[in-house]
Amino acid sequence: QVQVVESGGGSVQAGESLRLSCTASGFSFGSYCMGWFRQAPGKERQAVATVYTGDGSTYYADSVTGRFTLAQDNAKNTVYLQMDNVQPEDTGMYYCAASANCWVGYLPTDASEYGYWGQGTHVTVSS
């Protein structure tokens, strides 16, 4: 049974930091892409950052490059999203997802390519 579980959301002030965690089970963690997606109210779900757990290669959306950092612990089947210098526009529901449609040199950023999703964790950033 596949499970993807996020944690670590909350309410913070602009400029502060937050770390989200995503733990997965039920599939071969080391050969999937794990993606973080953000959905703001009234907007589509968009990729924020993705990591190919096989080799650690990453993708970051332009809006978070230099502020957000991915890390992975394959022994714990967990990926982390370190969010530094958060801004009000980072507010939204953050979802972690897993995709098998992933290989060296290709990290999917379209939500439709991710087959397993967590329930989401909410982040609110106040100015």
Side-chain angles (χ1 to χ4, degrees):
Q1 181 180 354
V2 174
Q3 280 193 313
V4 178
V5 180
E6 308 96 333
S7 63
S11 296
V12 293
Q13 296 290 316
E16 294 183 340
S17 297
L18 203 62
R19 190 177 81 158
L20 307 183
S21 300
C22 171
T23 300
S25 60
F27 59 88
S28 180
F29 184 80
S31 60
Y32 273 63
C33 273
M34 300 299 296
W36 284 99
F37 289 77
R38 176 171 66 206
Q39 188 164 23
K43 296 189 176 181
E44 293 185 353
R45 195 172 297 188
Q46 294 187 322
V48 171
T50 299
V51 58
Y52 174 41
T53 58
D55 68 356
S57 55
T58 55
Y59 157 85
Y60 295 97
D62 288 344
S63 60
V64 306
T65 297
R67 300 188 299 120
F68 291 10
T69 306
L70 283 163
Q72 64 186 90
D73 185 338
N74 285 15
K76 296 181 179 180
N77 286 7
T78 299
V79 295
Y80 305 95
L81 183 67
Q82 178 66 39
M83 305 167 63
D84 295 322
N85 188 25
V86 295
Q87 299 298 313
E89 54 266 33
D90 295 321
T91 293
M93 186 70 81
Y94 283 72
Y95 296 92
C96 181
S99 173
N101 189 33
C102 173
W103 52 86
V104 175
Y106 179 69
L107 278 69
T109 58
D110 193 305
S112 66
E113 295 189 83
Y114 286 76
Y116 304 116
W117 291 83
Q119 80 288 350
T121 186
H122 200 270
V123 173
T124 301
V125 183
S126 303
S127 58

